[in-house]
Amino acid sequence: MKFAIIAAGEGSRLQQEGVELPKPLVKVCGEALIDRLIRIFRKNNAKEIVIIVNQLNPLTEQHILKLKEAGLASDIRMVVKTTPSSMHSFAELAPYLENEEFCLTTVDTIFNEEEFAKYIAYFKTCNYDGCMAVTNYIDDEKPLYIGTDSDLNITGFYDDKRTCEYISGGIYCLRPNALSTLKHCLEQGISRMRNFQRALVTDGLRLKACPFSKILDVDHASDIAKAESFLTAQ
């Protein structure tokens, strides 16, 4: 199984709030966000880790290159490109994900490692086209609500709460057929990940919601302390 990290965002909000490092290199509990994901993915038997970094901020690229020079990144494939959205970044990674199941997330997702391991193990053995990490912990400016049936099959993605119990956690386990939906979305000018997820439902893919107790994103300087508090309390 492959893993993929979108680390191409500029982290502009963090910079505006005085955080000088690019988001992938921001440390939580003494560990850079990108290093944390690489470590966790390896613990879950990653065959390859595909990462896209922003060419406008060379520090992240240099960080990965140093790992490679030290012989610590033989399983990492890096794409260096500036893209207009996370979905376009996903499209740049897609050619390296075509042949087998994969897990995709952005560099700033913070989650419980044991829950993540169970999530990956479930996906590897299930017959769903995709398993989406979800949480009922809401600390997001524009959460994407997820409709489910009684068996946690996903029935829709919504901008408003409706009767939804969960929101998207921004971690996606998908099989290669999901890349056809990605291609069609880009051809139609769709560029938001939430609309890609809606298109998966429209295209008839079977998706399962996999609950996590909490998933955090590091978008603001204050989120660093929140993430550290969550991780140290486990």
Side-chain angles (χ1 to χ4, degrees):
M1 179 173 176
K2 294 186 178 181
F3 291 76
I5 304 172
I6 295 174
E10 296 181 38
S12 55
R13 284 175 288 189
L14 286 168
Q15 292 172 5
Q16 291 167 6
E17 295 168 5
V19 178
E20 295 182 358
L21 288 171
K23 183 184 283 191
L25 301 184
V26 169
K27 290 188 176 182
V28 172
C29 296
E31 187 175 32
L33 291 172
I34 196 163
D35 291 343
R36 178 176 184 271
L37 285 183
I38 290 170
R39 174 180 58 78
I40 293 171
F41 291 169
R42 284 173 174 163
K43 282 177 64 177
N44 287 274
N45 302 311
K47 179 178 178 180
E48 183 176 56
I49 302 170
V50 190
I51 305 171
I52 181 168
V53 301
N54 195 325
Q55 66 186 130
L56 296 180
N57 206 328
L59 289 179
T60 305
E61 179 186 1
Q62 291 169 10
H63 180 77
I64 299 298
L65 289 175
K66 286 180 181 178
L67 292 179
K68 286 184 174 291
E69 289 169 3
L72 301 174
S74 60
D75 56 349
I76 293 176
R77 182 190 299 270
M78 180 170 59
V79 176
V80 182
K81 189 166 185 177
T82 301
T83 61
S85 71
S86 291
M87 194 164 151
H88 285 88
S89 292
F90 181 18
E92 294 295 330
L93 299 176
Y96 309 107
L97 304 172
E98 291 177 341
N99 299 320
E100 60 186 281
E101 59 197 11
F102 61 90
C103 176
L104 168 77
T105 189
T106 53
V107 75
D108 61 336
T109 48
I110 301 292
F111 48 81
N112 177 283
E113 291 185 37
E114 291 183 6
E115 291 179 342
F116 182 80
K118 291 177 181 176
Y119 166 64
I120 295 298
Y122 175 78
F123 176 66
K124 287 180 177 179
T125 59
C126 76
N127 59 0
Y128 285 87
D129 296 305
C131 289
M132 316 303 251
V134 302
T135 180
N136 57 12
Y137 173 78
I138 302 176
D139 185 29
D140 196 312
E141 295 164 358
K142 294 181 180 178
L144 177 63
Y145 294 94
I146 295 183
T148 60
D149 64 17
S150 58
D151 294 320
L152 291 181
N153 296 301
I154 294 176
T155 56
F157 296 89
Y158 309 104
D159 292 326
D160 55 276
K161 190 176 190 305
R162 305 191 182 194
T163 58
C164 303
E165 181 178 356
Y166 297 107
I167 65 167
S168 172
I171 308 171
Y172 322 102
C173 279
L174 297 167
R175 306 205 189 277
N177 57 341
L179 298 177
S180 295
T181 297
L182 174 66
K183 180 181 178 182
H184 297 154
C185 284
L186 291 169
E187 289 172 349
Q188 296 168 31
I190 296 170
S191 60
R192 299 186 71 192
M193 283 298 290
R194 61 182 55 202
N195 291 331
F196 163 69
Q197 293 175 76
R198 291 183 174 112
L200 291 173
V201 174
T202 300
D203 286 353
L205 275 69
R206 294 185 65 242
L207 305 175
K208 181 83 167 184
C210 296
F212 281 57
S213 58
K214 184 183 287 189
I215 298 176
L216 303 167
D217 290 330
V218 180
D219 289 322
H220 297 278
S222 60
D223 293 335
I224 298 171
K226 289 180 184 178
E228 291 183 335
S229 178
F230 168 55
L231 293 176
T232 55
Q234 296 177 45

